[in-house]
Amino acid sequence: NAGVTQTPKFQVLKTGQSMTLQCAQDMNHEYMSWYRQDPGMGLRLIHYSVGAGITDQGEVPNGYNVSRSTTEDFPLRLLSAAPSQTSVYFCASRAGYGYTFGSGTRLTVV
Amino acid sequence: ELKVEQNPLFLSMQEGKNYTIYCNYSTTSDRLYWYRQDPGKSLESLFVLLSNGAVKQEGRLMASLDTKARLSTLHITAAVHDLSATYFCAVDDWGGADGLTFGKGTHLIIQP
């Protein structure tokens, strides 16, 4: 049972480049979400999904795009990377009251 | 807007001592989560508190929830070095976004 799998683990981008952070879960959870973690800020919600075909914005959605075509996958797209998007990104899924977090992607934008 | 405040944000303590981390939140939600994070790692779930008066204990850690005061505490008893980590509380707001709102975290260092 893999849980929540995030790829890549590390990534360096140049300003203006685009990329997709992958998140997959094998627990058949309907709810999935993306967070970013910055020093001293805790984790902040970017986007979330309550099921395939349904997504919504969280606290800090600007500069990010998501889609949910299957229950298993919830990719996060950076359309035009900026240095302010340098952060650690966590994907999480939920069933009932329990959240399961992925191992994170450390992204640096130069 | 849901707000979650933790204090202290930084705590240095000696092994064997007791201490408490406080988590205040602004919503009426009665679901409160505590996580541990080691440097460079993901979040490890410690406790999920689901109702007023809930108390859970695991080893030297005990968490409680007072929904009327909108306050949760994480109490550390006879601290040991292995408990050094960053601890986060988070609240699940069913009325708004489907996700967690986190406090800024408490960076805990336990010195021998």
Side-chain angles (χ1 to χ4, degrees):
Chain A
N1 190 346
V4 177
T5 302
Q6 289 185 238
T7 56
K9 293 191 183 301
F10 302 93
Q11 183 71 49
V12 178
L13 284 180
K14 293 182 178 179
T15 298
Q17 287 185 319
S18 62
M19 81 159 293
T20 299
L21 279 64
Q22 301 292 344
C23 176
Q25 53 94 6
D26 60 0
M27 298 171 285
N28 203 32
H29 289 175
E30 292 292 331
Y31 302 95
M32 297 185 74
S33 49
W34 276 101
Y35 297 83
R36 60 177 288 172
Q37 183 177 25
D38 302 300
M41 295 293 292
L43 280 77
R44 293 181 291 168
L45 182 65
I46 306 172
H47 284 284
Y48 67 98
S49 170
V50 298
I54 306 171
T55 64
D56 208 342
Q57 297 180 350
E59 179 186 355
V60 288
N62 292 342
Y64 306 95
N65 223 349
V66 291
S67 60
R68 185 93 180 271
S69 57
T70 67
T71 300
E72 294 77 21
D73 299 300
F74 190 40
L76 178 71
R77 297 183 184 85
L78 280 71
L79 307 174
S80 177
S84 61
Q85 293 179 303
T86 293
S87 189
V88 180
Y89 292 84
F90 289 100
C91 178
S93 69
R94 177 176 66 81
Y97 301 120
Y99 287 80
T100 302
F101 285 84
S103 59
T105 295
R106 185 174 295 274
L107 175 67
T108 302
V109 182
V110 298
Chain B
E1 179 188 352
L2 172 57
K3 293 185 184 298
V4 179
E5 294 186 355
Q6 279 182 246
N7 69 83
L9 298 182
F10 181 82
L11 177 58
S12 179
M13 55 191 293
Q14 289 184 320
E15 281 191 328
K17 300 292 187 181
N18 304 332
Y19 210 81
T20 301
I21 300 170
Y22 297 89
C23 176
N24 290 92
Y25 57 97
S26 63
T27 184
T28 56
S29 171
D30 57 2
R31 275 189 310 284
L32 193 294
Y33 300 77
W34 284 98
Y35 292 94
R36 167 181 173 149
Q37 187 179 41
D38 292 301
K41 302 295 185 182
S42 185
L43 280 76
E44 173 190 353
S45 179
L46 295 175
F47 302 108
V48 181
L49 303 170
L50 299 175
S51 61
N52 186 43
V55 177
K56 290 194 174 181
Q57 183 165 4
E58 180 71 34
R60 300 175 187 273
L61 301 178
M62 183 175 71
S64 65
L65 178 61
D66 181 345
T67 57
K68 295 180 181 178
R70 299 181 186 175
L71 171 68
S72 180
T73 60
L74 180 66
H75 186 73
I76 302 158
T77 301
V80 294
H81 178 68
D82 285 351
L83 290 178
S84 296
T86 299
Y87 293 85
F88 291 94
C89 66
V91 176
D92 190 332
D93 182 11
W94 285 108
D98 184 56
L100 293 167
T101 300
F102 284 82
K104 293 185 176 181
T106 297
H107 184 51
L108 175 63
I109 296 176
I110 299 171
Q111 300 174 345

